[in-house]
Amino acid sequence: DAGVIQSPRHEVTEMGQEVTLRCKPISGHNSLFWYRQTMMRGLELLIYFNNNVPIDDSGMPEDRFSAKMPNASFSTLKIQPSEPRDSAVYFCASSPRQGMGGELFFGEGSRLTVL
Amino acid sequence: ILNVEQSPQSLHVQEGDSTNFTCSFPSSNFYALHWYRWETAKSPEALFVMTLNGDEKKKGRISATLNTKEGYSYLYIKGSQPEDSATYLCAFTTGGGNKLTFGTGTQLKVEL
């Protein structure tokens, strides 16, 4: 079975450029989560969706970050404009249960480097 | 802000040793406690999801216990093997909030 698929796996960009990270959750899962991993703060929840609807985006650092889930099989996390401090690994995860009762299935992450 | 604390931060053991780590979390309004195993260059994988006070779960040589009244969970590894080397993360959520907050993990290195 296909797991959570993220793209790109690696992205190197220059400050000020727009970055779009993509995620395809596991089919049938109705919750999707975006996390950011840094050395300083570990895994931080940025936003999560239930049934394609954003439920909690309080972890999104600022207006430069936005996330969408236009359908059950696709989500994007966009950073515009990007800054060096956005450099991190961004993980997408999905869960078969709404909210946090069920285990999360993580993608392999997108490593972003902003120069 | 809900703080999840894990200890120790890192641990080196010899093959065959048994070991355990601690996850501490706020005990009020508890909903679920998750344990994940995260190998280098891979993504985190769920080990256990625990919801009931006194819960004990086991998967092979790895087991976990949960005390929701005092706000802690222990993860045990019996007879550590080199393939157990990984970072072990716990994560906590409260009822209604639905926000899974991760600890910073315990990094385990099992040496031959």
Side-chain angles (χ1 to χ4, degrees), chain A residues 79-91:
Chain A
I79 308 172
Q80 167 62 22
S82 58
E83 297 182 2
R85 60 192 167 123
D86 301 331
S87 298
V89 181
Y90 291 82
F91 285 97

Side-chain angles (χ1 to χ4, degrees), chain A residues 8-77:
Chain A
R9 293 290 310 278
H10 302 273
E11 172 113 2
V12 180
T13 190
E14 292 189 346
M15 183 173 64
Q17 297 297 306
E18 178 178 295
V19 173
T20 299
L21 307 178
R22 297 172 178 80
C23 176
K24 177 179 168 56
I26 293 173
S27 177
H29 284 193
N30 56 18
S31 295
L32 182 140
F33 309 84
W34 282 101
Y35 281 87
R36 176 171 68 175
Q37 191 245 344
T38 62
M39 289 292 291
M40 292 294 292
R41 300 170 70 93
L43 269 175
E44 299 176 276
L45 178 65
L46 300 177
I47 185 171
Y48 80 94
F49 298 83
N50 280 347
N51 295 320
N52 314 338
V53 176
I55 302 300
D56 187 336
D57 65 354
S58 60
M60 297 285 263
E62 48 197 272
D63 291 345
R64 297 184 297 105
F65 285 69
S66 63
K68 293 182 180 180
M69 191 166 185
N71 57 61
S73 59
F74 183 67
S75 176
T76 59
L77 178 67

Side-chain angles (χ1 to χ4, degrees), chain A residues 9 33 35 37 41-43 45 48 50 56 58-59 91 97 99-104 106-108, chain B residues 31-32 34 36 38 41-46 49 51 89 93 96-104:
Chain A
R9 293 290 310 278
F33 309 84
Y35 281 87
Q37 191 245 344
R41 300 170 70 93
L43 269 175
L45 178 65
Y48 80 94
N50 280 347
D56 187 336
S58 60
F91 285 97
R97 287 176 55 181
M100 301 295 183
E103 65 185 84
L104 301 187
F106 284 82
E108 294 186 315
Chain B
Y31 186 77
H34 296 216
Y36 290 81
W38 193 357
K42 295 187 178 180
S43 52
E45 292 184 350
V49 177
T51 57
L89 297 168
T93 186
N98 287 336
K99 180 173 285 189
L100 196 62
T101 301
F102 278 86
T104 52

Side-chain angles (χ1 to χ4, degrees), chain B residues 2 25-32 68 92-98:
Chain B
L2 297 172
F25 52 87
S27 56
S28 60
N29 202 21
F30 172 86
Y31 186 77
T68 62
F92 157 82
T93 186
T94 58
N98 287 336

